[in-house]
Amino acid sequence: MRRALARTLGAELGDTEWVQASLPLRLGGLGMHSCADSAAVAGVAATLEGIKGLPLLTRAPGGGPLQITPTQDSVCAASLACPRLALFPEVLTEVRDSLQAGAAGAPRKQKEWSGKISGARQAGLLRDPLVGVRGQARIRSCAAKHASTWLYGAHNAPDDLWMSPAELTVAVRLRLGMQLAPQARECRLCGAAEADRFGDHSLTCLNAGLRTRAHTALRNEVGALAREALLCPVLEDRPFTKHPHRNKRVDVAYTRGEKRRLIDVAITFPLQANAVKKAAETEGGAATKYEAVKRRTYDGPILAEAPEQQDLLLVPMVVDTFGAWGESALPELRALVNAVHRRHDWETYAAVSHLAFHRLSFVVARAVARIALVNADVHLGARRVEEGELELDEISTDDGAGSSSSSSSSSGSSSGGGGGSSSSNSSSSVASGGGGGGGAPEGGGGGAPGGPQARQRRDHRPSPPRMTNNHRRGGRVNREMRDERPAPKLPLGGRCKGK
């Protein structure tokens, strides 16, 4: 599994990265559980369950059940001698007690023992000096409540909840703390600072408007959830009437109960210097810390309102880039989920809650991946600009493990796409594409559109009509195109209403 994950991500995994990947999702991993860790406890649980049911299956000649008193020596010797089990003293003690109790202590929960083993592995990972404070903050944020929901599938999820291969690769690399580029380079967003290998600068750069797009996507998702709960939300509302706060806006405003709730959403980066220590101490610590900043921002406008209008309640909804929510966001989101469940009472609460938090978590993960993808190098196809159109092209990479970025003036060299996307240097745009193979000549890997045959087919394609200002503004060209459209089919014996 480790080699398969390395091939998927286009880079080798270190020991700490693989330990995190083998943790369950609820502990900040990827759910690639190691069977060697659970083999001993699985054998003990199966043995005790078999001892419990054996007298019911075996009958004495007289018809009564056999009084079987199994010896525990062989079972103890086989289970307690497991070297993997010796690494977890707490679980080893429980297994020894269960073996001494015999059938009276069965059935023991294998899931409980496996969970304790995973918890011990996470605790050991957090204590590892190679992980450091940054790694502790990242793992705790990934292990927060609903932070990993985007990795779960939703049976009724719509088609827009999909990531391109490049976005998924970058999102998983960010989760595991892997490098996004072989070396630091000039930031394609601002062009002034140096983009580090781990994507820290990309996620905090204020240029190119990608952070605004991420904020808008989260705001729209919260508004859609409130709209589904029939709360009539207002986006970008101006609830304040006193000068000089009249033009101050909130992201979402709706009335629930007796209060007019003012929702201010934000996405914060937990690994920045002023938040990493708080994020390393508690799950969602960076988001909770930024909620206090939001409250100080809105305290003045709310207190400036008249006493009879003191029905305004600020609810900051802050989530960090790894998906950990602040302490004020989760209660309000659960209240919205309850309201939606009352409307769709034929669905279980678990299904409604899972889909709602899946959408919120997915929107954040995809937006963060798109920002980090600008300065990333993830062995995926690049795009070139031809007559204003973006076309897939193949280029060589710096580290041999993935596709890189190319400027719009350079022509691509022949190297296969590895499965997703890359970014254009001079235009600072992020583009995704298909790909599969790793480094096949002439772009022949995994269906990446390269090679002479694919290029010949691309050159003979008819160019799509270009959109001009006349099309957009309803000018003469737009009217001519509209007149050329075929007339709509009318029902038999009828005519269009109002004509």
Side-chain angles (χ1 to χ4, degrees):
M1 286 195 300
R2 182 172 181 173
R3 290 194 298 268
L5 181 60
R7 287 195 298 267
T8 302
L9 300 180
E12 293 297 329
L13 276 74
D15 293 337
T16 58
E17 296 161 353
W18 172 244
V19 171
Q20 182 184 352
S22 63
L23 294 176
L25 294 179
R26 60 181 178 83
L27 296 180
L30 295 178
M32 296 184 174
H33 191 68
S34 175
C35 297
D37 293 337
S38 301
V41 295
V44 172
T47 301
L48 294 178
E49 190 68 20
I51 292 173
K52 174 188 173 183
L54 188 60
L56 302 177
L57 300 176
T58 307
R59 296 290 177 178
L66 286 175
Q67 299 296 325
I68 298 178
T69 306
T71 59
Q72 307 294 329
D73 296 338
S74 59
V75 180
C76 289
S79 300
L80 300 182
C82 179
R84 286 296 188 101
L85 193 59
L87 299 177
F88 311 102
E90 181 181 356
V91 180
L92 181 61
T93 302
E94 289 193 12
V95 171
R96 184 182 292 110
D97 295 341
S98 300
L99 290 173
Q100 292 176 357
R108 300 296 299 179
K109 296 180 180 179
Q110 177 187 347
K111 182 178 180 181
E112 177 183 350
W113 288 341
S114 299
K116 290 185 177 181
I117 290 177
S118 299
R121 290 178 64 86
Q122 186 204 37
L125 182 62
L126 293 174
R127 292 192 302 267
D128 192 343
L130 297 178
V131 174
V133 179
R134 286 173 50 88
Q136 294 175 5
R138 174 175 48 82
I139 295 173
R140 290 195 184 278
S141 295
C142 293
K145 189 70 173 178
H146 301 295
S148 305
T149 316
W150 65 277
L151 288 168
Y152 289 96
H155 70 282
N156 53 350
D159 294 337
D160 59 334
L161 297 183
W162 287 90
M163 285 187 183
S164 68
E167 293 166 355
L168 180 60
T169 301
V170 170
V172 175
R173 284 195 181 189
L174 286 173
R175 184 178 179 88
L176 298 180
M178 301 174 62
Q179 296 182 7
L180 302 183
Q183 58 187 358
R185 61 180 65 182
E186 181 183 352
C187 178
R188 298 185 181 125
L189 296 175
C190 62
E194 185 181 69
D196 59 283
R197 298 174 298 167
F198 297 94
D200 293 4
H201 173 76
S202 301
L203 297 178
T204 55
C205 186
L206 299 176
N207 292 273
L210 294 180
R211 294 181 63 185
T212 303
R213 294 182 185 179
H215 174 272
T216 303
L218 180 59
R219 180 207 65 186
N220 294 342
E221 200 60 44
V222 174
L225 182 60
R227 190 178 302 110
E228 186 70 17
L230 298 181
L231 297 179
C232 300
V234 179
L235 303 183
E236 300 297 331
D237 189 26
R238 292 182 172 87
F240 307 111
T241 59
K242 300 296 183 180
H243 184 77
H245 309 297
R246 292 179 180 177
N247 293 328
K248 196 171 187 61
R249 297 179 297 180
V250 295
D251 295 320
V252 185
Y254 55 83
T255 301
R256 186 175 66 83
E258 299 179 354
K259 294 287 186 178
R260 180 72 174 173
R261 301 179 186 272
L262 311 179
I263 309 299
D264 188 10
V265 302
I267 303 176
T268 185
F269 184 53
L271 302 186
Q272 51 190 339
N274 60 349
V276 63
K277 184 177 180 181
K278 190 69 175 178
E281 294 175 354
T282 57
E283 299 177 355
T288 302
K289 181 178 180 180
Y290 195 60
E291 286 180 349
V293 178
K294 291 291 184 181
R295 289 192 178 92
R296 289 194 298 268
T297 303
Y298 286 94
D299 280 346
I302 292 177
L303 295 177
E305 298 296 314
E308 60 272 8
Q309 297 180 353
Q310 289 294 327
D311 58 345
L312 303 178
L313 177 63
L314 176 68
V315 182
M317 285 191 180
V318 183
V319 60
D320 65 26
T321 54
F322 298 107
W325 293 90
E327 60 181 10
S328 299
L330 288 178
E332 186 66 24
L333 290 174
R334 292 191 182 103
L336 295 178
V337 170
N338 286 331
V340 174
H341 178 247
R342 285 194 294 269
R343 286 193 60 207
H344 306 283
D345 54 356
W346 58 88
E347 291 278 0
T348 62
Y349 176 81
V352 175
S353 176
H354 176 72
L355 180 58
F357 282 102
H358 176 75
R359 291 192 63 95
L360 292 168
S361 177
F362 185 89
V363 164
V364 173
R366 182 172 57 185
V368 170
R370 287 176 176 176
I371 297 174
L373 187 60
V374 177
N375 292 313
D377 183 4
V378 290
H379 188 37
L380 300 166
R383 294 202 176 205
R384 67 182 180 185
V385 179
E386 294 181 350
E387 300 293 336
E389 297 177 358
L390 291 176
E391 294 280 337
L392 282 171
D393 196 13
E394 59 279 354
I395 64 172
S396 61
T397 61
D398 296 334
D399 57 350
S403 86
S404 176
S405 59
S406 68
S407 62
S408 61
S409 60
S410 64
S411 61
S413 63
S414 58
S415 147
S421 91
S422 158
S423 52
S424 169
N425 188 11
S426 61
S427 60
S428 297
S429 62
V430 181
S432 63
E442 294 296 331
Q453 296 180 354
R455 192 174 295 109
Q456 184 178 4
R457 290 195 302 268
R458 184 176 63 214
D459 295 338
H460 286 81
R461 288 183 307 180
S463 301
R466 297 188 179 278
M467 185 68 69
T468 63
N469 290 333
N470 286 327
H471 293 84
R472 298 187 182 97
R473 300 174 184 174
R476 176 182 56 82
V477 181
N478 193 13
R479 288 194 297 271
E480 291 178 358
M481 293 181 63
R482 187 169 60 242
D483 295 338
E484 293 176 358
R485 291 181 299 181
K489 296 182 180 180
L490 302 179
L492 296 177
R495 62 176 60 186
C496 292
K497 295 183 179 180
K499 297 294 184 180

